[in-house]
Amino acid sequence: MPKITVSRNHNLDQLAVTALLKSKIAAALQENSNAVRDFRERWTDDHTLEFAFKAMGFGVSGLLKSLSDRVTVDVTLPLAAMMVKGIIESRLQEEIGKILAEVG
């Protein structure tokens, strides 16, 4: 299965970054409720999210970490998504950048 790892450094308050990530995830789910199904999330501590969902019938899973100096996202995609892996990776990088800019 293809994997994507995106990491973005910051020098911001970790609690503020995590709070904004939680808020943005909730908003994105609501906004994309017609495309995302069976979303499961589990915050293993205050700053680490394990997630899984289905989009367009395909299963996606991953781990998001809000660390003191960076945000990382590791995503496992179905083989059928290999053709759009680069697009997904770019979009993740862009969205994390936007979120960090809101905190900064």
Side-chain angles (χ1 to χ4, degrees):
M1 294 249 211
K3 294 191 185 286
I4 295 174
T5 298
V6 173
S7 184
R8 193 79 182 245
N9 293 336
H10 67 78
N11 57 358
L12 305 167
D13 178 72
Q14 184 180 18
L15 292 175
V17 170
T18 301
L20 193 53
L21 286 166
K22 288 179 179 181
S23 171
K24 293 294 184 177
I25 290 166
L29 286 170
Q30 191 170 32
E31 188 176 307
N32 296 290
S33 63
N34 59 334
V36 175
R37 300 276 184 246
D38 303 327
F39 184 78
R40 294 183 316 272
E41 66 179 328
R42 184 170 76 97
W43 288 91
T44 58
D45 59 33
D46 287 343
H47 305 286
T48 303
L49 168 66
E50 294 176 356
F51 62 89
F53 61 90
K54 290 185 181 175
M56 300 185 332
F58 296 108
V60 177
S61 62
L63 190 67
L64 178 145
K65 292 183 181 182
S66 176
L67 304 169
S68 61
D69 63 342
R70 70 188 176 282
V71 172
T72 64
V73 182
D74 296 305
V75 181
T76 302
L77 300 170
L79 216 52
M82 189 64 175
M83 291 176 44
V84 293
K85 180 182 174 195
I87 295 168
I88 295 169
E89 190 170 9
S90 295
R91 184 70 189 267
L92 275 171
Q93 192 72 258
E94 179 183 324
E95 292 301 318
I96 293 170
K98 286 179 186 177
I99 291 168
L100 293 175
E102 286 186 38
V103 177

